Amino acid sequence: MTHRRPVALAHACRLINHGPTVLVSVSHEGRRNVMAAAWSMPVEFTPPRVAVVIDKSTFTRGLVLGSGLFALCIPCRALADLTTTVGRTSGRDEDKFARHTIASFTGPALGLPLIEGCVAWMECRRIAEPHSEAAYDTFFGEVVSAQADDRVFAEGRWSLRADNADLHTLHHLGGGQYGVVDSVVSGKVLDPT
Ligand SMILES: Cc1cc2nc3c(=O)[nH]c(=O)nc-3n(C[C@H](O)[C@H](O)[C@H](O)COP(=O)(O)O)c2cc1C
């Protein structure tokens, strides 16, 4: 049984609001690829828009420029090894999907390869910003489909609990290490009276 559910586009930016490491997946003219990216963020709610840094050295970048499309897949604790692997190897010389037996499914809006085992997925159309792409390696995209695993994201919110720890998102600390959420605190508006 799949736990994948559509997420309203109005809530799509919440999927990366808390700064998880993402997997950028892409395909173009028969080539597909996936890399890790710690640097992504929402930049607009309506329409939902995101930014992600895709370095000039990456193979992914050429496929994004060629296709005008990219997906952000959000891996969980159980995918820590895969995240490091696709972040330390290049798809330039070999297909990472075949090499590492990475299962994917087809994105509903753009047909992009979305990574199985992740806990959220967004398909994005590149918004061409040649200056920021060249100067800062920063790519912008409009989110056109969003999905999430309903065991950790439901009714427009993440729900990171002790009983779904394997599904918690990864937060890059450097050196192949990731933090995961250990506990959640509520923030209330201070009442100065
Ligand atoms: C945890 C992690 C986070 C990373 N974050 C980024 C990032 O935000 N931007 C980037 O350009 N590269 C980032 N990288 C490096 C790329 O994933 C790496 O260069 C990858 O090998 C590129 O693959 P490709 O050549 O197949 O596109 C990260 C790597 C790791 C392991």
Side-chain angles (χ1 to χ4, degrees):
M1 170 188 165
T2 180
H3 288 276
R4 208 163 61 231
R5 299 283 180 273
V7 171
L9 289 180
H11 294 158
C13 282
R14 297 183 186 180
L15 296 174
I16 56 169
N17 194 47
H18 61 312
T21 296
V22 302
L23 304 181
V24 182
S25 61
V26 64
S27 67
H28 181 54
E29 294 182 338
R31 294 297 303 271
R32 57 185 177 171
N33 199 44
V34 55
M35 65 168 251
W39 291 359
S40 77
M41 62 182 286
V43 294
E44 201 165 316
F45 279 118
T46 313
R49 289 180 174 152
V50 297
V52 60
V53 173
I54 304 175
D55 190 78
K56 291 180 188 63
S57 65
T58 66
F59 178 58
T60 301
R61 184 180 175 114
L63 300 187
V64 173
L65 288 170
S67 65
L69 310 173
F70 61 86
L72 302 184
C73 307
I74 303 176
C76 57
R77 183 181 202 133
L79 295 194
D81 290 347
L82 180 70
T83 301
T84 299
T85 301
V86 300
R88 296 244 180 107
T89 58
S90 181
R92 208 176 296 283
D93 303 319
E94 63 178 359
D95 182 328
K96 292 183 203 177
F97 290 80
R99 176 79 175 88
H100 303 293
T101 323
I102 301 171
S104 64
F105 61 96
T106 303
L110 303 176
L112 289 165
L114 305 183
I115 310 303
E116 290 277 8
C118 285
V119 287
W121 304 264
M122 286 185 273
E123 289 180 291
C124 306
R125 282 188 204 283
R126 168 183 170 241
I127 300 165
E129 291 286 354
H131 173 72
S132 63
E133 291 165 358
Y136 307 110
D137 294 334
T138 302
F139 285 70
F140 292 88
E142 178 168 336
V143 182
V144 296
S145 84
Q147 303 176 79
D149 186 314
D150 67 0
R151 291 171 293 179
V152 270
F153 187 95
E155 296 170 10
R157 284 174 190 277
W158 287 102
S159 179
L160 303 174
R161 310 177 307 269
D163 68 325
N164 61 13
D166 268 1
L167 302 174
H168 289 192
T169 53
L170 300 171
H171 302 264
H172 192 218
L173 303 176
Q177 294 203 300
Y178 305 91
V180 290
V181 169
D182 180 48
S183 60
V184 174
V185 294
S186 293
K188 299 187 179 68
V189 176
L190 295 170
D191 181 357
T193 58

